[in-house]
Amino acid sequence: MASHSERTSSLSLGFPSEPSLPDTDPPSSPPMVSSPMMPSASEDHGELFNSTASLDSLGPASTAEPCSSPPMHSSPAIAPSSPIEPPSPRFQTEDGAEGTQEKQRILILGATGNQGRGCLRALLASKYRDKYTIGVLVRDSQSASAVALSRALAPAQHESLALAECLSSLGVELVAGDYSSPLSVSWVFGTFQPTTIFFPPILSDDFQRDLLYAQHVISAAAQQSSTTVKKIIVSTALGADRRAEFPGWGKNGEWHPMSSYWQTKAKIEGMVQEARFDSYTILRPGWFLHSLTQRMVGWSYLGWKDTDKIRTIRTKWKRGTRVAWVDAEDVGVVAARVVDDETQGESNKWRNRGVDLAVESITVGELAERMGKVLGEEVRVRYADEPWTWPADDDEQDWETGRTVSDMDPIAISQRWANEFDSSYGVEATRELGLLERLMSVDTFLERNRGLI
């Protein structure tokens, strides 16, 4: 399971309600008190920074970007923050002569989230940078997460630049758009005219809405596929294509406790595969490492208690369960690698396929040991399925987040899934693609973010 934006995830997003898609969830599915989510493959439109800079430099946490934006229903009253000229089908050389090779126009959706930010940074550092026109789509360029992105891109600035100014200085075009409005998304694609789109979908506890937003994006991109959009890269979750192997999944998963989550991921993949793009790549990341930070820890285990004399992880993971981890920003880094490889003619490597991503698969006991080395103190684990190891005065609930290790807690349900389904195969798949050494290890992530774990 992959990522959430803040500890509140996207549960607090102030999006307007939308009509639901027909049959987005099996009609026979049993009611769920709260939909379980995996802290990895959902999109994380927040402001955690996990690669070149420590999270410590970001300032106070804030809620996810869309919260401060007014509802937008049908009008694409969404103008780019700076004028964008319609692109020529051919780029101009420095002396003004028309080039013979098309310049790729790469549009990054969710650029203020971890995956989108990772992609942007990687493309800006690419040796093929001069072959790309890069654009980013955000909903609110004045939001806290937009300010955090500006700080990360221009850390030397004593005062934060406005995002539009920061991006302009880097040669990146900024457009504003709203997933909830099909007209808005279509306007963005028609204005920027991307050739390649990177789309890490939002995931909240309203899976029908999430699927509807994904449909708006994918449908609008598909409508442009005959003229400009040739390639789409999306991220889902490690295991989305192997649901039939889940214990208890049955024929179509309608009674599985994580049915809604996995059906949503599968349907997003299906929409991409059926849209008839020239090429697509589906990235399937494991659990996101940023869910180990204080602002996100409720999505992986119960946070430290003030009363703990020894820092203690309380979890539904079993002692022998191996969890496959990856840095959320590295999903974007891999997306950029796909673009780079295809730029130099290696299109078949990534064409119309899924890519499993994980850098290490470790037990929670191993994780606690590594945390302890970074923190310079002992970190222990209490396992929910070993109640005899819990002191009588300990409580399995984290009262600050409301999370528990009970069977009905959404994250506990996802951890139980991890106990039953071994996702370690993602590490070997990443190694086979030659990506493993390029991505951030668990130890490096913990060391860079020691003040936030």
Side-chain angles (χ1 to χ4, degrees), residues 217-253:
V217 170
I218 296 166
S219 295
Q223 290 170 7
Q224 295 285 330
S225 63
S226 62
T227 54
T228 59
V229 179
K230 304 303 179 185
K231 172 82 176 187
I232 187 168
I233 306 168
V234 301
S235 66
T236 56
L238 189 61
D241 59 330
R242 299 175 68 164
R243 303 180 307 283
E245 301 175 29
F246 298 169
W249 185 259
K251 184 177 180 180
N252 54 18

PDB file of all heavy atoms in Angstrom, residues 217-253:
ATOM      1  N   VAL A 217      -9.750  12.994 -16.066  1.00  0.00           N
ATOM      2  CA  VAL A 217      -8.394  13.197 -16.567  1.00  0.00           C
ATOM      3  C   VAL A 217      -8.107  12.296 -17.761  1.00  0.00           C
ATOM      4  O   VAL A 217      -7.635  12.748 -18.815  1.00  0.00           O
ATOM      5  CB  VAL A 217      -7.359  12.946 -15.448  1.00  0.00           C
ATOM      6  CG1 VAL A 217      -5.946  12.914 -16.017  1.00  0.00           C
ATOM      7  CG2 VAL A 217      -7.472  14.008 -14.370  1.00  0.00           C
ATOM      8  N   ILE A 218      -8.374  11.012 -17.607  1.00  0.00           N
ATOM      9  CA  ILE A 218      -8.028  10.044 -18.651  1.00  0.00           C
ATOM     10  C   ILE A 218      -8.873  10.270 -19.901  1.00  0.00           C
ATOM     11  O   ILE A 218      -8.373  10.187 -21.028  1.00  0.00           O
ATOM     12  CB  ILE A 218      -8.177   8.602 -18.110  1.00  0.00           C
ATOM     13  CG1 ILE A 218      -7.159   8.375 -16.981  1.00  0.00           C
ATOM     14  CG2 ILE A 218      -7.974   7.581 -19.220  1.00  0.00           C
ATOM     15  CD1 ILE A 218      -7.427   7.130 -16.163  1.00  0.00           C
ATOM     16  N   SER A 219     -10.158  10.589 -19.723  1.00  0.00           N
ATOM     17  CA  SER A 219     -11.020  10.850 -20.884  1.00  0.00           C
ATOM     18  C   SER A 219     -10.566  12.083 -21.640  1.00  0.00           C
ATOM     19  O   SER A 219     -10.521  12.094 -22.878  1.00  0.00           O
ATOM     20  CB  SER A 219     -12.473  11.014 -20.432  1.00  0.00           C
ATOM     21  OG  SER A 219     -12.972   9.810 -19.886  1.00  0.00           O
ATOM     22  N   ALA A 220     -10.216  13.146 -20.889  1.00  0.00           N
ATOM     23  CA  ALA A 220      -9.768  14.367 -21.544  1.00  0.00           C
ATOM     24  C   ALA A 220      -8.452  14.131 -22.291  1.00  0.00           C
ATOM     25  O   ALA A 220      -8.249  14.635 -23.395  1.00  0.00           O
ATOM     26  CB  ALA A 220      -9.591  15.481 -20.512  1.00  0.00           C
ATOM     27  N   ALA A 221      -7.565  13.338 -21.688  1.00  0.00           N
ATOM     28  CA  ALA A 221      -6.298  13.026 -22.360  1.00  0.00           C
ATOM     29  C   ALA A 221      -6.544  12.197 -23.613  1.00  0.00           C
ATOM     30  O   ALA A 221      -5.914  12.419 -24.653  1.00  0.00           O
ATOM     31  CB  ALA A 221      -5.379  12.283 -21.395  1.00  0.00           C
ATOM     32  N   ALA A 222      -7.457  11.238 -23.511  1.00  0.00           N
ATOM     33  CA  ALA A 222      -7.745  10.385 -24.661  1.00  0.00           C
ATOM     34  C   ALA A 222      -8.327  11.187 -25.822  1.00  0.00           C
ATOM     35  O   ALA A 222      -8.065  10.894 -26.992  1.00  0.00           O
ATOM     36  CB  ALA A 222      -8.711   9.274 -24.249  1.00  0.00           C
ATOM     37  N   GLN A 223      -9.122  12.211 -25.496  1.00  0.00           N
ATOM     38  CA  GLN A 223      -9.688  13.048 -26.548  1.00  0.00           C
ATOM     39  C   GLN A 223      -8.606  13.813 -27.302  1.00  0.00           C
ATOM     40  O   GLN A 223      -8.790  14.191 -28.457  1.00  0.00           O
ATOM     41  CB  GLN A 223     -10.695  14.025 -25.938  1.00  0.00           C
ATOM     42  CG  GLN A 223     -11.970  13.349 -25.451  1.00  0.00           C
ATOM     43  CD  GLN A 223     -12.856  14.288 -24.644  1.00  0.00           C
ATOM     44  OE1 GLN A 223     -12.594  15.486 -24.554  1.00  0.00           O
ATOM     45  NE2 GLN A 223     -13.907  13.738 -24.049  1.00  0.00           N
ATOM     46  N   GLN A 224      -7.460  14.039 -26.632  1.00  0.00           N
ATOM     47  CA  GLN A 224      -6.348  14.750 -27.266  1.00  0.00           C
ATOM     48  C   GLN A 224      -5.362  13.789 -27.928  1.00  0.00           C
ATOM     49  O   GLN A 224      -4.390  14.229 -28.543  1.00  0.00           O
ATOM     50  CB  GLN A 224      -5.598  15.573 -26.213  1.00  0.00           C
ATOM     51  CG  GLN A 224      -6.406  16.691 -25.588  1.00  0.00           C
ATOM     52  CD  GLN A 224      -6.583  17.874 -26.515  1.00  0.00           C
ATOM     53  OE1 GLN A 224      -5.724  18.140 -27.352  1.00  0.00           O
ATOM     54  NE2 GLN A 224      -7.679  18.586 -26.388  1.00  0.00           N
ATOM     55  N   SER A 225      -5.610  12.477 -27.794  1.00  0.00           N
ATOM     56  CA  SER A 225      -4.617  11.507 -28.258  1.00  0.00           C
ATOM     57  C   SER A 225      -4.445  11.500 -29.778  1.00  0.00           C
ATOM     58  O   SER A 225      -3.399  11.116 -30.288  1.00  0.00           O
ATOM     59  CB  SER A 225      -4.990  10.101 -27.778  1.00  0.00           C
ATOM     60  OG  SER A 225      -6.226   9.678 -28.333  1.00  0.00           O
ATOM     61  N   SER A 226      -5.474  11.931 -30.491  1.00  0.00           N
ATOM     62  CA  SER A 226      -5.351  11.943 -31.955  1.00  0.00           C
ATOM     63  C   SER A 226      -4.528  13.120 -32.453  1.00  0.00           C
ATOM     64  O   SER A 226      -4.081  13.139 -33.601  1.00  0.00           O
ATOM     65  CB  SER A 226      -6.749  11.982 -32.593  1.00  0.00           C
ATOM     66  OG  SER A 226      -7.429  13.179 -32.225  1.00  0.00           O
ATOM     67  N   THR A 227      -4.317  14.126 -31.575  1.00  0.00           N
ATOM     68  CA  THR A 227      -3.586  15.320 -32.005  1.00  0.00           C
ATOM     69  C   THR A 227      -2.271  15.503 -31.250  1.00  0.00           C
ATOM     70  O   THR A 227      -1.230  15.731 -31.865  1.00  0.00           O
ATOM     71  CB  THR A 227      -4.456  16.575 -31.810  1.00  0.00           C
ATOM     72  OG1 THR A 227      -4.910  16.632 -30.441  1.00  0.00           O
ATOM     73  CG2 THR A 227      -5.657  16.541 -32.735  1.00  0.00           C
ATOM     74  N   THR A 228      -2.307  15.415 -29.916  1.00  0.00           N
ATOM     75  CA  THR A 228      -1.085  15.703 -29.162  1.00  0.00           C
ATOM     76  C   THR A 228      -0.684  14.593 -28.192  1.00  0.00           C
ATOM     77  O   THR A 228       0.440  14.122 -28.221  1.00  0.00           O
ATOM     78  CB  THR A 228      -1.233  17.026 -28.379  1.00  0.00           C
ATOM     79  OG1 THR A 228      -2.347  16.926 -27.476  1.00  0.00           O
ATOM     80  CG2 THR A 228      -1.419  18.189 -29.325  1.00  0.00           C
ATOM     81  N   VAL A 229      -1.587  14.187 -27.294  1.00  0.00           N
ATOM     82  CA  VAL A 229      -1.220  13.245 -26.224  1.00  0.00           C
ATOM     83  C   VAL A 229      -0.922  11.864 -26.804  1.00  0.00           C
ATOM     84  O   VAL A 229      -1.803  11.202 -27.344  1.00  0.00           O
ATOM     85  CB  VAL A 229      -2.325  13.139 -25.163  1.00  0.00           C
ATOM     86  CG1 VAL A 229      -1.910  12.125 -24.082  1.00  0.00           C
ATOM     87  CG2 VAL A 229      -2.605  14.490 -24.529  1.00  0.00           C
ATOM     88  N   LYS A 230       0.320  11.449 -26.677  1.00  0.00           N
ATOM     89  CA  LYS A 230       0.725  10.137 -27.181  1.00  0.00           C
ATOM     90  C   LYS A 230       1.047   9.158 -26.064  1.00  0.00           C
ATOM     91  O   LYS A 230       0.977   7.950 -26.261  1.00  0.00           O
ATOM     92  CB  LYS A 230       1.953  10.276 -28.089  1.00  0.00           C
ATOM     93  CG  LYS A 230       1.749  11.237 -29.256  1.00  0.00           C
ATOM     94  CD  LYS A 230       0.562  10.821 -30.121  1.00  0.00           C
ATOM     95  CE  LYS A 230       0.322  11.788 -31.270  1.00  0.00           C
ATOM     96  NZ  LYS A 230      -0.902  11.447 -32.037  1.00  0.00           N
ATOM     97  N   LYS A 231       1.391   9.684 -24.885  1.00  0.00           N
ATOM     98  CA  LYS A 231       1.864   8.837 -23.810  1.00  0.00           C
ATOM     99  C   LYS A 231       1.249   9.280 -22.489  1.00  0.00           C
ATOM    100  O   LYS A 231       1.183  10.479 -22.202  1.00  0.00           O
ATOM    101  CB  LYS A 231       3.394   8.923 -23.703  1.00  0.00           C
ATOM    102  CG  LYS A 231       4.006   8.239 -22.496  1.00  0.00           C
ATOM    103  CD  LYS A 231       4.170   6.755 -22.730  1.00  0.00           C
ATOM    104  CE  LYS A 231       4.873   6.062 -21.574  1.00  0.00           C
ATOM    105  NZ  LYS A 231       5.189   4.653 -21.881  1.00  0.00           N
ATOM    106  N   ILE A 232       0.783   8.322 -21.685  1.00  0.00           N
ATOM    107  CA  ILE A 232       0.328   8.627 -20.330  1.00  0.00           C
ATOM    108  C   ILE A 232       1.037   7.685 -19.374  1.00  0.00           C
ATOM    109  O   ILE A 232       1.205   6.493 -19.650  1.00  0.00           O
ATOM    110  CB  ILE A 232      -1.207   8.523 -20.190  1.00  0.00           C
ATOM    111  CG1 ILE A 232      -1.651   9.018 -18.804  1.00  0.00           C
ATOM    112  CG2 ILE A 232      -1.700   7.110 -20.459  1.00  0.00           C
ATOM    113  CD1 ILE A 232      -3.150   9.226 -18.672  1.00  0.00           C
ATOM    114  N   ILE A 233       1.489   8.247 -18.255  1.00  0.00           N
ATOM    115  CA  ILE A 233       2.115   7.478 -17.185  1.00  0.00           C
ATOM    116  C   ILE A 233       1.271   7.685 -15.936  1.00  0.00           C
ATOM    117  O   ILE A 233       1.039   8.833 -15.528  1.00  0.00           O
ATOM    118  CB  ILE A 233       3.561   7.952 -16.921  1.00  0.00           C
ATOM    119  CG1 ILE A 233       4.386   7.944 -18.208  1.00  0.00           C
ATOM    120  CG2 ILE A 233       4.231   7.085 -15.851  1.00  0.00           C
ATOM    121  CD1 ILE A 233       5.722   8.662 -18.085  1.00  0.00           C
ATOM    122  N   VAL A 234       0.771   6.626 -15.352  1.00  0.00           N
ATOM    123  CA  VAL A 234      -0.043   6.732 -14.143  1.00  0.00           C
ATOM    124  C   VAL A 234       0.575   5.874 -13.053  1.00  0.00           C
ATOM    125  O   VAL A 234       1.352   4.955 -13.330  1.00  0.00           O
ATOM    126  CB  VAL A 234      -1.507   6.292 -14.384  1.00  0.00           C
ATOM    127  CG1 VAL A 234      -2.163   7.129 -15.459  1.00  0.00           C
ATOM    128  CG2 VAL A 234      -1.585   4.812 -14.727  1.00  0.00           C
ATOM    129  N   SER A 235       0.220   6.156 -11.800  1.00  0.00           N
ATOM    130  CA  SER A 235       0.654   5.307 -10.693  1.00  0.00           C
ATOM    131  C   SER A 235      -0.575   4.725 -10.002  1.00  0.00           C
ATOM    132  O   SER A 235      -1.585   5.413  -9.847  1.00  0.00           O
ATOM    133  CB  SER A 235       1.509   6.099  -9.696  1.00  0.00           C
ATOM    134  OG  SER A 235       0.746   7.100  -9.059  1.00  0.00           O
ATOM    135  N   THR A 236      -0.471   3.473  -9.601  1.00  0.00           N
ATOM    136  CA  THR A 236      -1.576   2.829  -8.873  1.00  0.00           C
ATOM    137  C   THR A 236      -1.023   2.227  -7.583  1.00  0.00           C
ATOM    138  O   THR A 236      -0.667   2.953  -6.683  1.00  0.00           O
ATOM    139  CB  THR A 236      -2.283   1.785  -9.750  1.00  0.00           C
ATOM    140  OG1 THR A 236      -1.334   0.805 -10.223  1.00  0.00           O
ATOM    141  CG2 THR A 236      -2.963   2.446 -10.939  1.00  0.00           C
ATOM    142  N   ALA A 237      -0.892   0.904  -7.506  1.00  0.00           N
ATOM    143  CA  ALA A 237      -0.399   0.292  -6.270  1.00  0.00           C
ATOM    144  C   ALA A 237       0.165  -1.088  -6.560  1.00  0.00           C
ATOM    145  O   ALA A 237      -0.349  -1.818  -7.421  1.00  0.00           O
ATOM    146  CB  ALA A 237      -1.514   0.196  -5.228  1.00  0.00           C
ATOM    147  N   LEU A 238       1.199  -1.428  -5.834  1.00  0.00           N
ATOM    148  CA  LEU A 238       1.804  -2.751  -5.953  1.00  0.00           C
ATOM    149  C   LEU A 238       0.784  -3.821  -5.559  1.00  0.00           C
ATOM    150  O   LEU A 238       0.277  -3.812  -4.441  1.00  0.00           O
ATOM    151  CB  LEU A 238       3.027  -2.833  -5.039  1.00  0.00           C
ATOM    152  CG  LEU A 238       3.932  -4.059  -5.179  1.00  0.00           C
ATOM    153  CD1 LEU A 238       4.527  -4.131  -6.574  1.00  0.00           C
ATOM    154  CD2 LEU A 238       5.039  -4.006  -4.130  1.00  0.00           C
ATOM    155  N   GLY A 239       0.468  -4.697  -6.501  1.00  0.00           N
ATOM    156  CA  GLY A 239      -0.525  -5.734  -6.264  1.00  0.00           C
ATOM    157  C   GLY A 239      -1.835  -5.512  -6.996  1.00  0.00           C
ATOM    158  O   GLY A 239      -2.690  -6.403  -7.020  1.00  0.00           O
ATOM    159  N   ALA A 240      -2.006  -4.334  -7.606  1.00  0.00           N
ATOM    160  CA  ALA A 240      -3.278  -4.029  -8.266  1.00  0.00           C
ATOM    161  C   ALA A 240      -3.610  -5.013  -9.380  1.00  0.00           C
ATOM    162  O   ALA A 240      -4.781  -5.261  -9.672  1.00  0.00           O
ATOM    163  CB  ALA A 240      -3.259  -2.600  -8.825  1.00  0.00           C
ATOM    164  N   ASP A 241      -2.594  -5.586 -10.008  1.00  0.00           N
ATOM    165  CA  ASP A 241      -2.815  -6.529 -11.098  1.00  0.00           C
ATOM    166  C   ASP A 241      -2.808  -7.980 -10.623  1.00  0.00           C
ATOM    167  O   ASP A 241      -2.915  -8.891 -11.435  1.00  0.00           O
ATOM    168  CB  ASP A 241      -1.731  -6.353 -12.162  1.00  0.00           C
ATOM    169  CG  ASP A 241      -0.330  -6.583 -11.615  1.00  0.00           C
ATOM    170  OD1 ASP A 241      -0.105  -6.311 -10.418  1.00  0.00           O
ATOM    171  OD2 ASP A 241       0.549  -7.038 -12.375  1.00  0.00           O
ATOM    172  N   ARG A 242      -2.696  -8.187  -9.300  1.00  0.00           N
ATOM    173  CA  ARG A 242      -2.615  -9.555  -8.773  1.00  0.00           C
ATOM    174  C   ARG A 242      -3.684  -9.803  -7.714  1.00  0.00           C
ATOM    175  O   ARG A 242      -3.504 -10.572  -6.773  1.00  0.00           O
ATOM    176  CB  ARG A 242      -1.214  -9.805  -8.201  1.00  0.00           C
ATOM    177  CG  ARG A 242      -0.147  -9.672  -9.273  1.00  0.00           C
ATOM    178  CD  ARG A 242       1.274  -9.785  -8.740  1.00  0.00           C
ATOM    179  NE  ARG A 242       1.581 -11.127  -8.249  1.00  0.00           N
ATOM    180  CZ  ARG A 242       2.819 -11.560  -8.029  1.00  0.00           C
ATOM    181  NH1 ARG A 242       3.856 -10.760  -8.283  1.00  0.00           N
ATOM    182  NH2 ARG A 242       3.035 -12.765  -7.571  1.00  0.00           N
ATOM    183  N   ARG A 243      -4.814  -9.139  -7.884  1.00  0.00           N
ATOM    184  CA  ARG A 243      -5.884  -9.230  -6.886  1.00  0.00           C
ATOM    185  C   ARG A 243      -6.385 -10.660  -6.711  1.00  0.00           C
ATOM    186  O   ARG A 243      -6.778 -11.059  -5.610  1.00  0.00           O
ATOM    187  CB  ARG A 243      -7.057  -8.319  -7.286  1.00  0.00           C
ATOM    188  CG  ARG A 243      -6.658  -6.880  -7.469  1.00  0.00           C
ATOM    189  CD  ARG A 243      -7.805  -5.979  -7.871  1.00  0.00           C
ATOM    190  NE  ARG A 243      -8.530  -6.456  -9.042  1.00  0.00           N
ATOM    191  CZ  ARG A 243      -8.092  -6.349 -10.294  1.00  0.00           C
ATOM    192  NH1 ARG A 243      -6.906  -5.818 -10.542  1.00  0.00           N
ATOM    193  NH2 ARG A 243      -8.828  -6.782 -11.301  1.00  0.00           N
ATOM    194  N   ALA A 244      -6.395 -11.422  -7.789  1.00  0.00           N
ATOM    195  CA  ALA A 244      -6.899 -12.793  -7.704  1.00  0.00           C
ATOM    196  C   ALA A 244      -6.073 -13.647  -6.750  1.00  0.00           C
ATOM    197  O   ALA A 244      -6.536 -14.685  -6.275  1.00  0.00           O
ATOM    198  CB  ALA A 244      -6.929 -13.430  -9.091  1.00  0.00           C
ATOM    199  N   GLU A 245      -4.840 -13.199  -6.454  1.00  0.00           N
ATOM    200  CA  GLU A 245      -3.970 -13.941  -5.548  1.00  0.00           C
ATOM    201  C   GLU A 245      -4.193 -13.579  -4.087  1.00  0.00           C
ATOM    202  O   GLU A 245      -3.645 -14.242  -3.200  1.00  0.00           O
ATOM    203  CB  GLU A 245      -2.500 -13.678  -5.911  1.00  0.00           C
ATOM    204  CG  GLU A 245      -2.133 -14.084  -7.333  1.00  0.00           C
ATOM    205  CD  GLU A 245      -0.700 -13.695  -7.669  1.00  0.00           C
ATOM    206  OE1 GLU A 245       0.134 -13.640  -6.735  1.00  0.00           O
ATOM    207  OE2 GLU A 245      -0.418 -13.442  -8.853  1.00  0.00           O
ATOM    208  N   PHE A 246      -4.986 -12.547  -3.815  1.00  0.00           N
ATOM    209  CA  PHE A 246      -5.212 -12.147  -2.430  1.00  0.00           C
ATOM    210  C   PHE A 246      -6.042 -13.205  -1.711  1.00  0.00           C
ATOM    211  O   PHE A 246      -7.110 -13.607  -2.223  1.00  0.00           O
ATOM    212  CB  PHE A 246      -5.969 -10.815  -2.356  1.00  0.00           C
ATOM    213  CG  PHE A 246      -5.272  -9.634  -2.970  1.00  0.00           C
ATOM    214  CD1 PHE A 246      -5.955  -8.438  -3.154  1.00  0.00           C
ATOM    215  CD2 PHE A 246      -3.938  -9.700  -3.348  1.00  0.00           C
ATOM    216  CE1 PHE A 246      -5.331  -7.341  -3.713  1.00  0.00           C
ATOM    217  CE2 PHE A 246      -3.299  -8.602  -3.913  1.00  0.00           C
ATOM    218  CZ  PHE A 246      -3.997  -7.427  -4.099  1.00  0.00           C
ATOM    219  N   PRO A 247      -5.646 -13.650  -0.540  1.00  0.00           N
ATOM    220  CA  PRO A 247      -6.486 -14.571   0.227  1.00  0.00           C
ATOM    221  C   PRO A 247      -7.849 -13.942   0.508  1.00  0.00           C
ATOM    222  O   PRO A 247      -7.944 -12.783   0.928  1.00  0.00           O
ATOM    223  CB  PRO A 247      -5.691 -14.763   1.524  1.00  0.00           C
ATOM    224  CG  PRO A 247      -4.268 -14.523   1.126  1.00  0.00           C
ATOM    225  CD  PRO A 247      -4.330 -13.422   0.097  1.00  0.00           C
ATOM    226  N   GLY A 248      -8.901 -14.664   0.206  1.00  0.00           N
ATOM    227  CA  GLY A 248     -10.246 -14.181   0.453  1.00  0.00           C
ATOM    228  C   GLY A 248     -10.823 -13.304  -0.632  1.00  0.00           C
ATOM    229  O   GLY A 248     -11.937 -12.787  -0.497  1.00  0.00           O
ATOM    230  N   TRP A 249     -10.069 -13.118  -1.755  1.00  0.00           N
ATOM    231  CA  TRP A 249     -10.582 -12.251  -2.808  1.00  0.00           C
ATOM    232  C   TRP A 249     -11.777 -12.881  -3.526  1.00  0.00           C
ATOM    233  O   TRP A 249     -12.733 -12.189  -3.875  1.00  0.00           O
ATOM    234  CB  TRP A 249      -9.477 -11.927  -3.809  1.00  0.00           C
ATOM    235  CG  TRP A 249      -9.898 -10.940  -4.866  1.00  0.00           C
ATOM    236  CD1 TRP A 249     -10.275 -11.214  -6.150  1.00  0.00           C
ATOM    237  CD2 TRP A 249     -10.017  -9.520  -4.720  1.00  0.00           C
ATOM    238  NE1 TRP A 249     -10.610 -10.060  -6.820  1.00  0.00           N
ATOM    239  CE2 TRP A 249     -10.451  -8.999  -5.951  1.00  0.00           C
ATOM    240  CE3 TRP A 249      -9.786  -8.643  -3.661  1.00  0.00           C
ATOM    241  CZ2 TRP A 249     -10.663  -7.630  -6.158  1.00  0.00           C
ATOM    242  CZ3 TRP A 249      -9.994  -7.282  -3.857  1.00  0.00           C
ATOM    243  CH2 TRP A 249     -10.430  -6.793  -5.097  1.00  0.00           C
ATOM    244  N   GLY A 250     -11.732 -14.173  -3.754  1.00  0.00           N
ATOM    245  CA  GLY A 250     -12.846 -14.838  -4.420  1.00  0.00           C
ATOM    246  C   GLY A 250     -12.900 -14.526  -5.898  1.00  0.00           C
ATOM    247  O   GLY A 250     -11.887 -14.192  -6.531  1.00  0.00           O
ATOM    248  N   LYS A 251     -14.101 -14.595  -6.463  1.00  0.00           N
ATOM    249  CA  LYS A 251     -14.270 -14.417  -7.904  1.00  0.00           C
ATOM    250  C   LYS A 251     -14.011 -12.985  -8.346  1.00  0.00           C
ATOM    251  O   LYS A 251     -13.312 -12.734  -9.330  1.00  0.00           O
ATOM    252  CB  LYS A 251     -15.675 -14.844  -8.316  1.00  0.00           C
ATOM    253  CG  LYS A 251     -15.910 -14.771  -9.825  1.00  0.00           C
ATOM    254  CD  LYS A 251     -17.309 -15.270 -10.184  1.00  0.00           C
ATOM    255  CE  LYS A 251     -17.534 -15.206 -11.693  1.00  0.00           C
ATOM    256  NZ  LYS A 251     -18.888 -15.686 -12.061  1.00  0.00           N
ATOM    257  N   ASN A 252     -14.584 -12.017  -7.653  1.00  0.00           N
ATOM    258  CA  ASN A 252     -14.402 -10.617  -8.056  1.00  0.00           C
ATOM    259  C   ASN A 252     -14.172  -9.683  -6.874  1.00  0.00           C
ATOM    260  O   ASN A 252     -14.256  -8.466  -7.033  1.00  0.00           O
ATOM    261  CB  ASN A 252     -15.600 -10.122  -8.878  1.00  0.00           C
ATOM    262  CG  ASN A 252     -16.914 -10.330  -8.154  1.00  0.00           C
ATOM    263  OD1 ASN A 252     -16.929 -10.533  -6.940  1.00  0.00           O
ATOM    264  ND2 ASN A 252     -18.011 -10.272  -8.886  1.00  0.00           N
ATOM    265  N   GLY A 253     -13.909 -10.229  -5.710  1.00  0.00           N
ATOM    266  CA  GLY A 253     -13.519  -9.417  -4.570  1.00  0.00           C
ATOM    267  C   GLY A 253     -14.616  -8.679  -3.857  1.00  0.00           C
ATOM    268  O   GLY A 253     -14.337  -7.840  -2.991  1.00  0.00           O
TER     269      GLY A 253
END
